[in-house]
């Protein structure tokens, strides 16, 4: 899976939003099933959290700040570097 990291980063850098979305969807659907299902569950949960941001102050930007470093990092990255 570590080789997928660069693919996701490259896809997210695409200028054309339609092409970016198409590429990201393909990459997500190419994940192993257990990773795909975990991502799907986590995304649904975080969407619910964001929908209640008036109460919990966890809008999408805040969620990205909190969860981003944990969920998206290279294989050679570790918590001591953070």
């Amino acid at each position: 899976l570590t080789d997928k990291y660069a693919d996701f980063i490259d896809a997210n850098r695409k200028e054309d939003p339609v092409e970016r979305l198409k590429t990201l969807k393909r990459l997500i659907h190419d994940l192993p099933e257990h990773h795909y299902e975990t991502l799907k569950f986590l995304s649904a949960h975080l969407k619910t959290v964001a929908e209640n941001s008036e109460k919990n102050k966890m809008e999408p930007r805040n969620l990205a700040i909190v969860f981003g470093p944990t969920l998206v990092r290279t294989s050679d990255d570790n918590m001591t570097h953070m």
Side-chain angles (χ1 to χ4, degrees):
L1 256 192
T2 57
D3 60 329
K4 298 274 187 197
Y5 177 84
D7 294 339
F8 277 95
I9 297 300
D10 290 342
N12 196 50
R13 289 184 177 148
K14 290 186 183 251
E15 297 266 340
D16 178 15
V18 173
E19 193 60 35
R20 180 173 51 239
L21 183 59
K22 192 163 59 169
T23 304
L24 287 169
K25 281 183 177 183
R26 181 185 50 77
L27 288 168
I28 289 169
H29 285 285
D30 287 347
L31 289 171
E33 185 177 355
H34 57 283
H35 290 244
Y36 175 81
E37 290 299 324
T38 301
L39 179 61
K40 190 166 107 176
F41 180 85
L42 181 61
S43 296
H45 174 67
L46 293 177
K47 180 178 183 278
T48 301
V49 172
E51 287 171 346
N52 291 288
S53 65
E54 287 185 20
K55 297 177 191 170
N56 62 29
K57 308 297 185 222
M58 292 305 287
E59 57 198 27
R61 182 175 171 11
N62 292 342
L63 290 169
I65 290 169
V66 172
F67 286 95
T70 303
L71 297 174
V72 182
R73 64 177 188 248
T74 61
S75 62
D76 60 343
D77 194 8
N78 63 49
M79 295 306 283
T80 59
H81 290 125
M82 298 178 93

